[in-house]
Amino acid sequence: MDKKFYQCRVCGDIHWGVNAPGICPTCQQVNAYEEAEKEKVNGLLANLAGKKLWRCIICNDLHIGKNAPEKCPTCLQINVYVEISEKELRTILEI
């Protein structure tokens, strides 16, 4: 299962995983994610504007947003995201 980048077209949150969240944890829009390019992550990291970096402790999905997904869209576990550093995110994504 290959992980891809997805971006919320409403608020700009980015998710890296097998699947995108069904509901954006920041703006609460349903089915608002579309595939995105890896380059968007660097741009967002340069200006987080209150967004945080999150990692699922089960499957290592990543999320950049004010809030973490309640349910991981890849492993389907609830409340498994922890806040991480930019260094950890960059290491996982190899950027």
Side-chain angles (χ1 to χ4, degrees):
M1 295 190 296
D2 289 333
K3 293 188 178 189
K4 299 177 184 174
F5 289 95
Y6 300 93
Q7 186 167 29
C8 176
R9 63 182 170 272
V10 177
C11 70
D13 277 13
I14 290 181
H15 188 84
W16 181 71
V18 174
N19 302 303
I23 299 172
C24 179
T26 297
C27 68
Q28 302 301 306
Q29 290 295 310
V30 177
N31 299 324
Y33 284 84
E34 55 193 14
E35 282 193 45
E37 298 298 320
K38 187 176 187 176
E39 292 76 34
K40 295 222 177 201
V41 175
N42 276 325
L44 190 54
L45 289 175
N47 183 20
L48 287 173
K51 294 182 187 271
K52 297 178 181 178
L53 312 175
W54 307 94
R55 177 180 60 83
C56 173
I57 61 172
I58 306 296
C59 68
N60 279 338
D61 270 19
L62 299 172
H63 191 82
I64 303 172
K66 291 184 180 181
N67 303 305
E70 181 179 335
K71 182 178 182 180
C72 179
T74 296
C75 69
L76 306 178
Q77 299 301 304
I78 297 174
N79 296 325
V80 290
Y81 280 85
V82 294
E83 194 171 348
I84 61 171
S85 69
E86 182 177 334
K87 181 180 179 180
E88 183 176 352
L89 181 125
R90 287 185 180 279
T91 298
I92 293 169
L93 294 177
E94 299 177 350
I95 57 173

